[in-house]
Amino acid sequence: MTAFIQRHGRPPGLGVVLAGHSPASEVYVRNKLKTVAAAGCRAELFRLDATAALDDALALVRRLNGDDTIDGILVQSPLPDAMGAGAEQEVFDTIDPAKDVDGFHPFNVGLLVQKRARLVACTPLGCVELLEREGIALRGKHAVVIGRSDIVGKPMALLLLHRDTTVTMCHSRTVDLPAIARSADILVAAIGRPGFVTRDFVKPGATVIDVGINTLTDRAEVERLFAEGSRKRAVFGEKGSVLIGDVHPDVDEVAGALTPVPGGVGPLTIAMVLRNTVTAAEQRKDGGRAI
Ligand code: NDP
C-alpha cells in the first residue's frame, strides 16, 4: 500500500453504495469498509434511502464512475424491492467495468469466461484462494458445484475449470444430486438452504466448501437439524438465532476438509474485496482505464 501511495500520491479508493437499512447488509458493508480501510485504502460509504428510486442509484454510480479518486465501486445487494425487478442488473451494468470490484459487469464476466479475467466475483475468488493456500490439488480432480447463480456458482465453476478441474454444475432440477455430489473430490455448496448437504452427499476425504450463510431463528428447525448438546443448539440457546451454512456440520466427520460457517468463506470474500480494490487501482493507474 505504501508503494502505491508513494507512486500515485493517494491510497486506492473504494466507494460502497448501500441502499436501505437491511441489518444483514449493514453488517456486510461495515465489515468490508473496516477491512479495506484497515489495509490503508480509502473506503467511503454512500447511502441511499430505502425509498430511493432506481434513477437515484444509477446517478450515484455514474458520479462514482467519474470520480478519479474512486478506483472500486461496490453496490451492496439486495437493492430495495421498490427499485423494481431487474434494478440490480441495471445498476451492475452501469458500473465502469474498470471499477467493478464485484466482477458482476457483463464485460468482466466475459473476460472470465475467456480466461483473461481482471476482476472476478469476490466469493468464488475467495474459495479458490482458500483451496490453493491449503494446498488442495485441483488439476484433474472432479469438482461438483451445487448452485448456478451469476455471483457464486457460475464464476466458481469457471475458476475451477481454468485450473484444470473437471467440473459438474448442479441446481434445483438436477436428478439424483446426492450421487453426483458423492463423486466429487471437491464439493462446493452455494444453495441458500440450511444444512442441505448431509453426510450422504460426501465422498470420504473430499474437500467441502460451504458458501451458504443462513440465519436460523426457528427453534423447531434448529432442533430438527442439530442433536441435543451440539454447539449450534448452544449458540441458539444463547442468542435466539444461529448461523448455519448449506452444509450440515456433521459432514466434518466424513470430509477431508470442511470450511466452517461462520468464519470460512465469509472472511475470504471480504479479503477479496480488498484485493480487487487494489487490483482495480493498479490497473487504472497502469493503463488509464483498465478496459
Ligand atoms: P441463489 O439463490 O442466487 O442461487 C441458489 C442456487 O442454488 C440456484 O442455482 C438454485 O438452483 C440452487 N438450489 C436451490 N435449491 C436447490 C436444491 N434443492 N437442490 C439443488 N440446487 C438448489 O443464491 P446465491 O448463489 O446468491 O447464494 C447461495 C448461498 O451462498 C446463500 O446462502 C448466500 O447467503 C450465500 N452467499 C455467501 C456469500 C459469502 O460471502 N460467504 C456471498 C454470496 C452468497 P436453480 O438455479 O435451479 O434455482
Side-chain angles (χ1 to χ4, degrees):
M1 209 61 74
T2 316
F4 184 96
I5 296 170
Q6 272 170 0
R7 257 198 332 259
H8 305 296
R10 66 164 180 84
L14 173 70
V16 177
V17 176
L18 175 59
H21 300 279
S22 140
S25 293
E26 294 276 350
V27 172
Y28 291 141
V29 164
R30 195 167 55 236
N31 288 340
K32 288 172 188 174
L33 290 168
K34 207 170 76 184
T35 301
V36 171
C41 294
R42 189 179 129 235
E44 202 174 332
L45 176 62
F46 298 86
R47 281 188 180 274
L48 287 170
D49 206 71
T51 56
L54 172 58
D55 280 348
D56 299 325
L58 295 175
L60 175 54
V61 167
R62 288 193 189 102
R63 177 157 73 79
L64 298 178
N65 282 346
D67 181 340
D68 199 42
T69 66
I70 296 281
D71 300 292
I73 302 169
L74 190 156
V75 178
Q76 184 64 38
S77 116
L79 290 172
D81 291 343
M83 287 197 189
E88 230 160 67
Q89 194 59 59
E90 202 171 331
V91 169
F92 295 149
D93 289 357
T94 303
I95 294 173
D96 178 347
K99 298 188 177 187
D100 172 32
V101 289
D102 261 336
F104 296 162
H105 191 285
F107 192 97
N108 285 318
V109 175
L111 289 177
L112 172 62
V113 171
Q114 295 182 342
K115 205 183 172 186
R116 50 196 188 114
R118 290 170 175 166
L119 295 167
V120 178
C122 297
T123 299
L125 197 59
C127 294
V128 165
E129 183 75 17
L130 207 143
L131 288 166
E132 289 182 337
R133 287 203 182 203
E134 287 300 313
I136 308 281
L138 298 177
R139 177 170 297 162
K141 300 292 181 189
H142 182 208
V144 171
V145 179
I146 313 178
R148 56 176 164 182
S149 71
D150 290 342
I151 66 167
V152 187
K154 283 181 199 157
M156 184 74 228
L158 285 163
L159 288 172
L160 289 167
L161 184 66
H162 294 160
R163 284 161 179 77
D164 298 327
T165 308
T166 302
V167 183
T168 303
M169 290 195 72
C170 299
H171 45 77
S172 66
R173 306 301 166 97
T174 298
V175 175
D176 206 1
L177 181 57
I180 297 173
R182 260 196 317 275
S183 68
D185 302 304
I186 297 141
L187 179 62
V188 181
I191 312 163
R193 289 178 180 256
F196 181 86
V197 172
T198 48
R199 299 167 58 118
D200 56 324
F201 282 64
V202 180
K203 176 162 81 178
T207 299
V208 182
I209 304 277
D210 188 357
V211 179
I213 302 179
N214 310 285
T215 306
L216 293 185
T217 52
D218 177 27
R219 177 175 300 277
E221 177 80 345
V222 173
E223 288 177 358
R224 185 182 68 78
L225 282 165
F226 303 110
E228 206 172 337
S230 64
R231 181 156 160 64
K232 290 286 183 190
R233 271 219 201 176
V235 173
F236 181 79
E238 255 170 55
K239 300 187 173 170
S241 70
V242 63
L243 274 188
I244 166 162
D246 291 339
V247 178
H248 195 286
D250 283 357
V251 162
D252 198 27
E253 291 160 22
V254 49
L258 166 66
T259 61
V261 176
V265 172
L268 261 295
T269 296
I270 291 177
M272 294 304 115
V273 172
L274 170 61
R275 179 196 280 182
N276 277 352
T277 301
V278 175
T279 301
E282 281 171 346
Q283 286 177 350
R284 291 180 68 245
K285 287 294 178 190
D286 287 348
R289 289 163 64 91
I291 312 297

